[in-house]
Amino acid sequence: MTSSRLTLDKFSVGVGDRFSHQAKAQLEACVHASRAGVEVVPVWNKSNREHNLIGSEPSSTRAAADAAVKALGWTRPYYCDADHINLQTVERFLASCDFYTIDVADFIAKKPKQSSVDAFARRHSELVGEIKLEGVEESFEITPALLSQVANKFLSAVEHAGMVYRKIESVKGKDKFISEVSMDETDFAQTPLELLIILAAIADEGIPLQTIAPKFSGRFNKGVDYAGDVSQFEREVQLHLVAIAHAIRQYGLPGNLKLSIHSGSDKFSVYPAIHSALKKFNAGVHVKTAGTTWLEEIIGLAEAGGEGLALVKEIYAEAYAHREELCHPYAAVIDIDTHNLPAPAEVWQWSSEEFTSALRHDLSSDSYNRSFRQLLHVGFKIAAGMGRRYLDLLEANEEVIAKNVTYNLYARHIRPVFLGAA
């Protein structure tokens, strides 16, 4: 008798589609991956904040994904992710989504009841002492003080995740959706020992977790490369993978539980490290690429010239004028040097090639401008305000945009992460 539990595949990629027009082009990248010998399952993710900024609903994400699957004859699984939801925002996603990223960042370091901490420590005496994680040479030690410290920091967050999970389960039914817990949008990276303790607490809550998104060291700014020590990041990935494997064995968590890497778009310098770790430990991963599809839309419109180029210049001018307002919600994940932002009057004079060269994430190009790229990354609200003006141009220039979207997702993300190809 086969299990009816909805089970996320070993490799999956979270794809953002701000305006629900590129699902087919994104899915085409997964088709290319399948032809190259690796199955990568698409997960269309969009947060409550993005829906509010654009004025869309989760049903539009589901409709776009379903249409793309039908158009391409995709027979593998696919999912729609209620991205970064909590107890207050989950309701609007219940009808359309089957993947839930439960964001607990706001509850980290919120002090739990002392009785909860004491009960957790009593339940998990096995965590005190030397911890040997299979696959790495060194041993680790958890003292009673460290166990108490980590429980005090994370138990409230895990308890909130449990409440959100049970709310979803009450509507969707047991085993009918995929659960992820996200704690990446916080100030400090979690250590492997912290992750192990967190996973023990998640098991106590009865959450059948399939992916977990810790915060890593370094900066994962939106749409630009990783900023930090790549060797340290690689070590963290490896230790997190073995901590997850240990927790699966120790606490009966789902066997397919895997690491999730958020803001993973365009983190080119760490992709070889991710691939190497996956290969070394025969592990799976979920990588969220999010908003770079929106940037590929702008690049496609700029390449098209004419009205498309004029519109993206207008978007930049408006984004420049409202940069403080646009950047505020993303302050923790962008790093813009305003001195490096070209004046709108200068951009109005640019050719298609000059605009795309400044925007396209090509580190070998002297024209690439990471501040320009990041401002446009958070500037999708400007395009949303244009309504049909923007959407009509997307549809009129579908071919050139789709080419950019598919190439970006497959050649620059899927190939290096999942196939190990440059």
Side-chain angles (χ1 to χ4, degrees), residues 36-57:
V38 63
E39 296 293 344
V40 181
V41 168
V43 180
W44 278 276
N45 48 261
K46 195 168 180 180
S47 69
N48 190 65
R49 175 171 61 188
E50 288 160 6
H51 280 299
N52 288 340
L53 288 171
I54 288 172
S56 57
E57 288 293 334

Side-chain angles (χ1 to χ4, degrees), residues 296-309:
E296 295 304 320
E297 286 181 341
I298 301 177
I299 288 170
L301 290 175
E303 283 184 338
E307 283 186 80
L309 179 59

Side-chain angles (χ1 to χ4, degrees), residues 38-324:
V38 63
E39 296 293 344
V40 181
V41 168
V43 180
W44 278 276
N45 48 261
K46 195 168 180 180
S47 69
N48 190 65
R49 175 171 61 188
E50 288 160 6
H51 280 299
N52 288 340
L53 288 171
I54 288 172
S56 57
E57 288 293 334
S59 57
S60 63
T61 304
R62 168 61 66 183
D66 289 348
V69 164
K70 184 177 180 181
L72 294 183
W74 178 258
T75 57
R76 300 288 297 145
Y78 68 101
Y79 304 97
C80 287
D81 177 10
D83 194 14
H84 287 286
I85 47 92
N86 55 37
L87 204 56
Q88 284 68 50
T89 58
V90 67
E91 187 74 34
R92 76 190 294 194
F93 294 91
L94 292 174
S96 300
C97 293
D98 48 14
F99 187 121
Y100 292 83
T101 297
I102 304 170
D103 190 334
V104 300
D106 289 345
F107 295 85
I108 293 173
K110 183 178 179 182
K111 191 165 178 59
K113 294 177 182 177
Q114 187 58 45
S115 58
S116 297
V117 175
D118 294 341
F120 178 80
R122 285 195 300 272
R123 279 195 306 274
H124 292 290
S125 59
E126 82 287 346
L127 283 168
V128 176
E130 186 181 61
I131 302 290
K132 187 73 176 73
L133 298 176
E134 190 175 313
V136 292
E137 290 183 5
E138 66 263 49
S139 294
F140 303 88
E141 184 178 2
I142 298 178
T143 63
L146 177 61
L147 184 63
S148 177
Q149 177 188 333
V150 176
N152 270 290
K153 185 175 181 181
F154 291 104
L155 271 188
S156 290
V158 174
E159 287 169 358
H160 179 78
M163 287 189 286
V164 179
Y165 169 78
R166 287 184 286 276
K167 168 70 174 177
I168 302 165
E169 185 187 59
S170 71
V171 176
K172 308 293 288 189
K174 186 176 176 61
D175 296 334
K176 301 302 182 184
F177 60 96
I178 290 163
S179 301
E180 173 176 297
V181 168
S182 161
M183 51 190 69
D184 63 301
E185 293 192 357
T186 187
D187 293 333
F188 300 103
Q190 290 92 40
T191 68
L193 292 183
E194 285 178 326
L195 183 63
L196 181 59
I197 295 168
I198 290 163
L199 289 172
I202 287 173
D204 287 350
E205 279 289 327
I207 304 171
L209 194 68
Q210 297 195 42
T211 82
I212 187 162
K215 180 178 176 64
F216 295 92
S217 62
R219 285 186 67 89
F220 284 74
N221 292 327
K222 297 284 188 181
V224 294
D225 205 355
Y226 172 77
D229 184 335
V230 174
S231 61
Q232 181 180 347
F233 169 81
E234 182 171 16
R235 187 63 181 152
E236 288 175 9
V237 169
Q238 292 189 9
L239 290 175
H240 282 331
L241 290 177
V242 295
I244 288 170
H246 184 90
I248 290 170
R249 292 190 299 269
Q250 184 77 36
Y251 302 115
L253 289 163
N256 67 321
L257 172 59
K258 61 184 181 176
L259 198 60
S260 181
I261 299 175
H262 283 201
S263 294
S265 32
D266 291 46
K267 302 303 179 283
F268 304 136
S269 62
V270 301
Y271 290 166
I274 295 171
H275 179 77
S276 174
L278 299 181
K279 194 172 180 181
K280 180 175 181 179
F281 296 106
N282 189 27
V285 74
H286 180 61
V287 177
K288 286 195 175 181
T289 63
T292 47
T293 288
W294 141 250
L295 294 178
E296 295 304 320
E297 286 181 341
I298 301 177
I299 288 170
L301 290 175
E303 283 184 338
E307 283 186 80
L309 179 59
L311 188 83
V312 296
K313 289 177 179 179
E314 183 181 339
I315 290 171
Y316 176 72
E318 286 296 310
Y320 185 92
H322 298 92
R323 56 191 181 276
E324 290 186 11

